Amino acid sequence: TMKTVLRFVNKVPKQALRSKRNLVSLSKSTKLSHNLVTNGITRSQLVNINGQSQRLYRISSALHGKKTVPFLLTDIGEGTTEVEVIEWFFEEGDTVEELDEIVKVESDKATVDITSKYDGVIKELCYKAGDIAKVGKPLIFIEVDEELLTAEDADQSVTNEEVVVEDSSSNTSSTVIQPASEATTASIGKVLSTPAVRRLAIEKDIDLLKVQGTGRSGRILKEDVLNYIKHGSSITQEVESTSQVVSSSSSSTFNLAPQDWSEPVRGLTRTMVKSMTMSNDIPTLTLMDEVDLTKLVSTRALLKPFAESQKIRLSYMPFFIKAASLALTQHPRLNARLNSDASEILFWGSHNIGIAMDSPQGLIVPNIKNVQSKSILEIAEDLNRLQTLGAEGKLTKDDLTGGTFTLSNIGAIGGTYATPLISPPESAIAALGKMKKIAVFNEDDQVVPAYVMNASFSADHRFIDGATVGRFINDWKSYLEKPEAFMISLR
């Protein structure tokens, strides 16, 4: 009959209970009693698989005090819904401890190293490098001690439960252990695999019964499915390759043109696509001018040894940043933005000035917080830190968010003038060209050498007019061209 039968195994050796794998050879003649309830068998169910009646005993992972739980990707900040997996620091089967960094991911805002919340063994990595991981979905499945789980974790620990399949149609038992969620599916009723492996098999239209498992007790691993796909397609690939050779040899000419290619939009490129698309909706005003840095060159040369004694590299950029902050104090509209329905102008109290940087990952714009209250040396120290972290790909979300005004030192790479695009929600940006030594006329009409830099300023023309931008540029220039006035203006 198909009614539920509650029967329990008696006289099961204790060593068998410690390892669910040892239950494979259980004899059907074994007596059944309630004694095994305390050892983890919680229920049995009579089902029909491949036309044969078989009894399923669910074996709780309580047999050995371990449970496999999903480690979910949480929101890493500012409503992130997905991230790109950059690098795994562990492999399947590795043991990790709480707070170990397990994976590096990249969102629209930052690159983050995610740490483990458990001590345990990684059973499965749910993504490979380059994949897009969704917030709220498992990053890994990890086996942990059951007593260390919270109630919420325990509710999620369903992947480690397995089922003993007992064939009741013969005199001898052919018992198999498999995940409970697989046991009621005829096509995969005799295989051992995890949910992620089954999902991969479904996506690739692979019958797991045809895949040779290399894991413990014949468990099918992700690598087994991938190897099966590779092996199964090798003949087709060979035929296609042969066909291509025949077709190529039969042609009287050869196509030597370079091949086109494509690449997915990922990481910082995806961020740039989004922000520049938004920027295109802003009516932008751009003004360009040049600034004489001759006196600043001398001033920096005097201050540089002192900065080096403090182990700080002093470039020209801290001067440009501080001068911008002083000019923003006088012209606060360039440190403001419109609200969502453009009915109000919202002013930022802090000057969080972003610095556009070229990094191995692409364009990044970290910002120095509260420039209005920092000295040039403090700004230089912050800039050194951001440059180091940017080169290493270790900038934090806080470093990359909250900017109110941006400077782009495009001249460090090359170029004289530019038309910089505003990065929302900011309303103004400056692009600094390459500094050049040229001949100019002084006040006595004598030809003298001078260090000149060109600069381009863009602003949101909906609420910032050209006159305001022009006055801002004039004040910014005056601080740089007359360092003595610059110094007495500092707080």
Coordinates of all heavy atoms in Angstrom, one line a residue, residues 73-134:
L73 N 24.2 36.5 0.0 CA 24.8 37.8 -0.3 C 23.8 38.9 0.2 O 22.7 39.0 -0.2 CB 25.0 38.0 -1.8 CG 25.4 39.4 -2.3 CD1 26.8 39.7 -1.7 CD2 25.5 39.5 -3.8
T74 N 24.4 39.8 1.1 CA 23.6 40.9 1.6 C 23.9 42.2 0.9 O 24.8 42.3 0.2 CB 23.9 41.0 3.1 OG1 25.3 41.3 3.3 CG2 23.5 39.8 3.9
D75 N 23.0 43.1 1.1 CA 23.2 44.5 0.5 C 24.4 45.1 1.0 O 24.6 45.3 2.2 CB 21.9 45.3 0.8 CG 22.0 46.7 0.1 OD1 23.0 47.0 -0.6 OD2 21.0 47.4 0.2
I76 N 25.4 45.4 0.1 CA 26.6 46.0 0.6 C 26.6 47.5 0.6 O 27.6 48.1 0.9 CB 27.8 45.5 -0.3 CG1 27.7 46.0 -1.7 CG2 28.0 44.0 -0.2 CD1 28.9 45.6 -2.6
G77 N 25.4 48.1 0.4 CA 25.3 49.5 0.5 C 24.5 50.2 -0.6 O 24.6 49.8 -1.7
E78 N 23.8 51.2 -0.2 CA 23.1 52.1 -1.2 C 22.2 51.3 -2.1 O 22.1 51.6 -3.3 CB 24.1 53.0 -1.9 CG 24.9 53.8 -1.0 CD 25.3 55.1 -1.6 OE1 25.1 55.3 -2.8 OE2 25.8 56.0 -0.9
G79 N 21.5 50.3 -1.6 CA 20.5 49.6 -2.4 C 21.0 48.8 -3.5 O 20.4 48.5 -4.5
T80 N 22.3 48.3 -3.4 CA 22.8 47.4 -4.4 C 22.0 46.2 -4.5 O 21.6 45.5 -3.6 CB 24.3 47.0 -4.0 OG1 25.1 48.2 -3.8 CG2 24.9 46.1 -5.0
T81 N 21.7 45.8 -5.8 CA 20.9 44.6 -6.1 C 21.7 43.5 -6.6 O 21.3 42.3 -6.6 CB 19.8 44.9 -7.0 OG1 20.3 45.4 -8.3 CG2 18.8 46.0 -6.4
E82 N 22.9 43.8 -7.2 CA 23.8 42.7 -7.8 C 25.2 43.2 -7.7 O 25.5 44.4 -7.7 CB 23.3 42.4 -9.2 CG 23.4 43.6 -10.1 CD 22.9 43.2 -11.5 OE1 22.1 42.3 -11.6 OE2 23.2 43.9 -12.5
V83 N 26.1 42.2 -7.7 CA 27.5 42.5 -7.8 C 28.2 41.6 -8.7 O 27.7 40.5 -9.0 CB 28.2 42.4 -6.4 CG1 27.6 43.4 -5.4 CG2 28.0 41.0 -5.8
E84 N 29.4 41.9 -9.2 CA 30.2 41.0 -10.0 C 31.2 40.3 -9.1 O 31.9 41.0 -8.3 CB 30.9 41.8 -11.1 CG 31.8 40.9 -11.9 CD 32.6 41.7 -13.0 OE1 32.4 42.9 -13.1 OE2 33.4 41.0 -13.7
V85 N 31.3 39.0 -9.2 CA 32.3 38.2 -8.5 C 33.7 38.4 -9.1 O 33.8 38.1 -10.3 CB 31.9 36.7 -8.4 CG1 33.0 35.9 -7.7 CG2 30.6 36.5 -7.7
I86 N 34.6 39.0 -8.4 CA 35.9 39.3 -8.9 C 36.9 38.2 -8.7 O 37.6 37.7 -9.6 CB 36.5 40.6 -8.4 CG1 35.5 41.8 -8.6 CG2 37.9 40.9 -8.9 CD1 35.3 42.0 -10.1
E87 N 37.0 37.7 -7.4 CA 38.0 36.7 -7.1 C 37.5 35.9 -5.8 O 37.0 36.5 -4.9 CB 39.3 37.4 -6.8 CG 40.4 36.4 -6.4 CD 41.7 37.1 -6.0 OE1 41.7 38.4 -6.0 OE2 42.7 36.5 -5.7
W88 N 37.7 34.6 -5.9 CA 37.4 33.7 -4.7 C 38.8 33.5 -4.0 O 39.8 33.3 -4.7 CB 36.9 32.4 -5.1 CG 35.4 32.4 -5.6 CD1 35.0 32.4 -6.9 CD2 34.3 32.5 -4.8 NE1 33.6 32.4 -6.9 CE2 33.1 32.5 -5.6 CE3 34.1 32.6 -3.4 CZ2 31.8 32.6 -5.1 CZ3 32.8 32.7 -2.9 CH2 31.7 32.7 -3.8
F89 N 38.7 33.6 -2.7 CA 39.9 33.4 -1.9 C 40.0 31.9 -1.4 O 41.0 31.5 -0.8 CB 40.0 34.3 -0.7 CG 40.0 35.8 -1.2 CD1 39.1 36.7 -0.6 CD2 40.8 36.2 -2.2 CE1 39.0 38.0 -1.0 CE2 40.8 37.6 -2.5 CZ 39.9 38.5 -2.0
F90 N 38.9 31.2 -1.5 CA 38.9 29.8 -1.1 C 38.3 28.9 -2.2 O 37.6 29.4 -3.1 CB 38.1 29.6 0.2 CG 38.7 30.2 1.4 CD1 38.4 31.5 1.8 CD2 39.6 29.5 2.2 CE1 39.0 32.1 2.9 CE2 40.2 30.0 3.3 CZ 39.9 31.3 3.7
E91 N 38.5 27.6 -2.1 CA 37.9 26.7 -3.0 C 36.9 25.8 -2.3 O 36.9 25.7 -1.1 CB 39.0 25.9 -3.7 CG 40.0 26.7 -4.6 CD 41.0 25.8 -5.2 OE1 41.1 24.6 -4.9 OE2 41.8 26.3 -6.0
E92 N 36.1 25.0 -3.1 CA 35.2 24.0 -2.5 C 36.1 23.0 -1.7 O 37.1 22.5 -2.2 CB 34.4 23.4 -3.5 CG 33.4 24.3 -4.2 CD 32.6 23.7 -5.3 OE1 32.8 22.5 -5.6 OE2 31.7 24.3 -5.9
G93 N 35.6 22.7 -0.5 CA 36.3 21.8 0.4 C 37.2 22.4 1.4 O 37.7 21.8 2.3
D94 N 37.5 23.7 1.2 CA 38.4 24.4 2.1 C 37.7 24.8 3.4 O 36.5 25.0 3.4 CB 38.9 25.8 1.5 CG 39.9 25.5 0.4 OD1 40.4 24.4 0.3 OD2 40.3 26.5 -0.3
T95 N 38.4 24.8 4.5 CA 37.9 25.2 5.8 C 38.1 26.7 6.0 O 39.2 27.2 5.8 CB 38.6 24.4 6.9 OG1 38.4 23.0 6.7 CG2 38.1 24.8 8.3
V96 N 37.1 27.4 6.5 CA 37.2 28.8 6.7 C 36.7 29.1 8.1 O 36.0 28.3 8.8 CB 36.3 29.6 5.7 CG1 36.7 29.4 4.3 CG2 34.8 29.2 5.9
E97 N 37.2 30.2 8.6 CA 36.8 30.7 10.0 C 36.0 32.0 9.9 O 36.0 32.7 8.8 CB 38.1 30.9 10.8 CG 38.9 29.7 11.1 CD 40.1 29.9 11.9 OE1 40.3 31.1 12.3 OE2 40.8 29.0 12.3
E98 N 35.3 32.2 10.9 CA 34.5 33.5 10.9 C 35.4 34.7 10.7 O 36.5 34.8 11.2 CB 33.8 33.6 12.3 CG 32.8 34.8 12.4 CD 32.1 34.9 13.7 OE1 32.4 34.0 14.6 OE2 31.2 35.7 13.8
L99 N 34.9 35.6 9.8 CA 35.6 36.8 9.5 C 36.7 36.6 8.5 O 37.4 37.6 8.1 CB 36.1 37.6 10.7 CG 35.1 38.0 11.7 CD1 35.7 38.8 12.9 CD2 34.0 38.8 11.1
D100 N 36.9 35.4 8.0 CA 37.9 35.2 6.9 C 37.3 35.8 5.6 O 36.1 35.7 5.4 CB 38.1 33.7 6.6 CG 39.1 33.1 7.5 OD1 39.8 33.8 8.2 OD2 39.2 31.8 7.5
E101 N 38.1 36.5 4.8 CA 37.7 37.0 3.6 C 37.5 35.9 2.6 O 38.5 35.2 2.3 CB 38.7 38.1 3.1 CG 38.7 39.3 4.0 CD 39.8 40.3 3.5 OE1 40.6 40.0 2.6 OE2 39.8 41.4 4.0
I102 N 36.3 35.7 2.0 CA 36.1 34.6 1.2 C 36.0 35.0 -0.3 O 36.3 34.1 -1.2 CB 34.8 33.8 1.6 CG1 33.6 34.7 1.6 CG2 35.0 33.1 2.9 CD1 32.3 34.0 2.0
V103 N 35.6 36.2 -0.6 CA 35.4 36.6 -2.0 C 35.4 38.1 -2.1 O 35.1 38.8 -1.3 CB 34.0 36.0 -2.5 CG1 32.8 36.7 -1.8 CG2 33.9 36.3 -4.0
K104 N 36.0 38.5 -3.3 CA 36.0 39.9 -3.6 C 34.9 40.2 -4.7 O 34.9 39.5 -5.7 CB 37.4 40.3 -4.2 CG 37.5 41.8 -4.5 CD 38.8 42.1 -5.3 CE 40.0 41.8 -4.4 NZ 40.1 42.8 -3.3
V105 N 34.1 41.1 -4.4 CA 33.0 41.5 -5.3 C 33.0 43.0 -5.6 O 33.6 43.7 -4.9 CB 31.6 41.1 -4.7 CG1 31.5 39.6 -4.4 CG2 31.3 41.9 -3.5
E106 N 32.4 43.3 -6.7 CA 32.4 44.7 -7.2 C 31.0 45.1 -7.5 O 30.4 44.5 -8.3 CB 33.4 44.9 -8.4 CG 33.5 46.3 -8.9 CD 34.6 46.4 -10.0 OE1 34.2 46.2 -11.1 OE2 35.7 46.7 -9.7
S107 N 30.6 46.2 -6.9 CA 29.3 46.8 -7.2 C 29.5 48.0 -8.1 O 30.6 48.4 -8.5 CB 28.5 47.1 -5.9 OG 29.1 48.2 -5.3
D108 N 28.4 48.8 -8.3 CA 28.4 50.0 -9.0 C 29.2 51.1 -8.2 O 29.7 52.0 -8.8 CB 27.0 50.6 -9.3 CG 26.3 49.7 -10.2 OD1 26.9 48.9 -10.8 OD2 25.0 49.9 -10.4
K109 N 29.4 50.9 -6.9 CA 30.0 51.9 -6.1 C 31.4 51.5 -5.6 O 32.2 52.4 -5.4 CB 29.1 52.2 -4.9 CG 27.7 52.7 -5.2 CD 27.7 54.1 -5.9 CE 26.3 54.6 -6.2 NZ 26.4 55.9 -6.8
A110 N 31.6 50.3 -5.3 CA 32.9 49.9 -4.6 C 33.2 48.5 -4.9 O 32.4 47.7 -5.2 CB 32.8 50.2 -3.1
T111 N 34.5 48.2 -4.6 CA 35.0 46.8 -4.5 C 35.1 46.4 -3.1 O 35.7 47.1 -2.3 CB 36.4 46.7 -5.2 OG1 36.2 47.1 -6.6 CG2 36.9 45.2 -5.2
V112 N 34.5 45.3 -2.7 CA 34.3 44.9 -1.3 C 34.8 43.4 -1.2 O 34.5 42.6 -2.0 CB 32.9 45.0 -0.9 CG1 32.7 44.5 0.6 CG2 32.4 46.4 -1.0
D113 N 35.5 43.2 -0.1 CA 35.9 41.8 0.3 C 34.8 41.3 1.3 O 34.7 41.9 2.4 CB 37.3 41.7 0.9 CG 38.4 42.0 -0.1 OD1 38.1 41.8 -1.3 OD2 39.5 42.4 0.3
I114 N 34.1 40.3 1.0 CA 33.0 39.8 1.9 C 33.6 38.7 2.8 O 34.4 37.8 2.3 CB 31.9 39.2 1.0 CG1 31.2 40.3 0.2 CG2 30.9 38.5 1.9 CD1 30.1 39.9 -0.6
T115 N 33.3 38.8 4.1 CA 33.9 37.9 5.1 C 32.8 36.8 5.5 O 31.6 37.1 5.4 CB 34.3 38.6 6.3 OG1 33.2 39.4 6.9 CG2 35.4 39.6 6.0
S116 N 33.3 35.7 5.9 CA 32.4 34.6 6.4 C 31.8 34.9 7.7 O 32.5 35.5 8.6 CB 33.2 33.3 6.4 OG 32.4 32.3 7.0
K117 N 30.6 34.5 7.9 CA 29.9 34.7 9.2 C 30.0 33.4 10.0 O 29.4 33.3 11.1 CB 28.5 35.2 9.0 CG 27.6 34.2 8.2 CD 26.2 34.8 8.1 CE 25.4 34.7 9.4 NZ 24.0 35.1 9.2
Y118 N 30.6 32.3 9.4 CA 30.6 31.0 10.0 C 32.0 30.5 10.1 O 32.9 30.9 9.3 CB 29.8 30.0 9.2 CG 28.4 30.4 9.0 CD1 27.9 30.7 7.7 CD2 27.4 30.4 10.0 CE1 26.6 31.1 7.4 CE2 26.1 30.7 9.7 CZ 25.7 31.0 8.5 OH 24.4 31.4 8.2
D119 N 32.3 29.5 11.0 CA 33.4 28.6 10.9 C 32.8 27.3 10.3 O 31.8 26.8 10.7 CB 33.9 28.2 12.3 CG 34.5 29.4 13.1 OD1 34.9 30.4 12.4 OD2 34.6 29.4 14.3
G120 N 33.5 26.9 9.3 CA 33.0 25.7 8.6 C 33.8 25.3 7.4 O 34.9 25.8 7.1
V121 N 33.2 24.4 6.6 CA 33.8 23.9 5.4 C 32.9 24.3 4.2 O 31.7 24.1 4.2 CB 33.9 22.3 5.4 CG1 34.5 21.8 4.1 CG2 34.7 21.9 6.6
I122 N 33.5 24.9 3.2 CA 32.8 25.3 2.0 C 32.4 24.1 1.2 O 33.3 23.4 0.7 CB 33.7 26.3 1.2 CG1 33.9 27.6 1.9 CG2 33.0 26.6 -0.2 CD1 34.8 28.6 1.2
K123 N 31.2 23.9 1.0 CA 30.7 22.8 0.2 C 30.5 23.1 -1.3 O 30.7 22.3 -2.1 CB 29.3 22.3 0.8 CG 29.5 21.6 2.1 CD 30.4 20.3 2.0 CE 30.5 19.6 3.3 NZ 31.4 18.4 3.1
E124 N 30.1 24.4 -1.5 CA 29.9 24.7 -2.9 C 30.0 26.3 -3.1 O 29.5 27.0 -2.3 CB 28.5 24.3 -3.4 CG 28.3 24.6 -4.8 CD 27.0 24.0 -5.3 OE1 26.3 23.4 -4.6 OE2 26.7 24.3 -6.5
L125 N 30.7 26.7 -4.2 CA 30.7 28.0 -4.6 C 29.6 28.2 -5.6 O 29.6 27.5 -6.6 CB 32.1 28.4 -5.2 CG 33.3 28.1 -4.3 CD1 34.6 28.5 -5.1 CD2 33.2 28.9 -3.0
C126 N 28.7 29.1 -5.4 CA 27.6 29.2 -6.3 C 27.9 30.1 -7.6 O 27.0 30.1 -8.5 CB 26.4 29.9 -5.6 SG 25.8 28.9 -4.1
Y127 N 29.0 30.7 -7.6 CA 29.3 31.5 -8.8 C 30.8 31.3 -9.1 O 31.6 30.9 -8.2 CB 29.1 33.0 -8.6 CG 27.6 33.4 -8.2 CD1 27.2 33.4 -6.9 CD2 26.7 33.6 -9.2 CE1 25.9 33.8 -6.5 CE2 25.4 33.9 -8.9 CZ 25.0 34.0 -7.5 OH 23.7 34.3 -7.2
K128 N 31.2 31.6 -10.3 CA 32.6 31.7 -10.7 C 33.0 33.1 -11.0 O 32.1 34.0 -11.1 CB 32.9 30.8 -11.9 CG 32.1 31.2 -13.2 CD 32.5 30.2 -14.3 CE 31.8 30.6 -15.6 NZ 30.4 30.4 -15.5
A129 N 34.3 33.4 -11.0 CA 34.7 34.8 -11.2 C 34.2 35.3 -12.5 O 34.2 34.6 -13.6 CB 36.3 34.8 -11.3
G130 N 33.7 36.5 -12.5 CA 33.0 37.1 -13.7 C 31.5 37.0 -13.7 O 30.9 37.7 -14.4
D131 N 31.0 36.2 -12.8 CA 29.5 36.0 -12.8 C 28.9 37.2 -12.0 O 29.5 37.8 -11.2 CB 29.1 34.7 -12.1 CG 29.3 33.5 -13.0 OD1 29.6 33.7 -14.2 OD2 29.2 32.4 -12.5
I132 N 27.6 37.4 -12.3 CA 26.9 38.4 -11.5 C 26.1 37.7 -10.4 O 25.2 36.9 -10.7 CB 25.9 39.2 -12.5 CG1 26.7 39.9 -13.5 CG2 25.1 40.2 -11.7 CD1 27.7 41.0 -13.0
A133 N 26.3 38.1 -9.2 CA 25.6 37.5 -8.0 C 24.5 38.5 -7.6 O 24.7 39.7 -7.5 CB 26.6 37.3 -6.9
K134 N 23.4 37.9 -7.3 CA 22.2 38.7 -6.8 C 22.1 38.8 -5.3 O 22.4 37.8 -4.6 CB 20.9 38.1 -7.4 CG 20.9 37.9 -8.9 CD 20.7 39.3 -9.6 CE 20.5 39.1 -11.1 NZ 20.4 40.5 -11.7

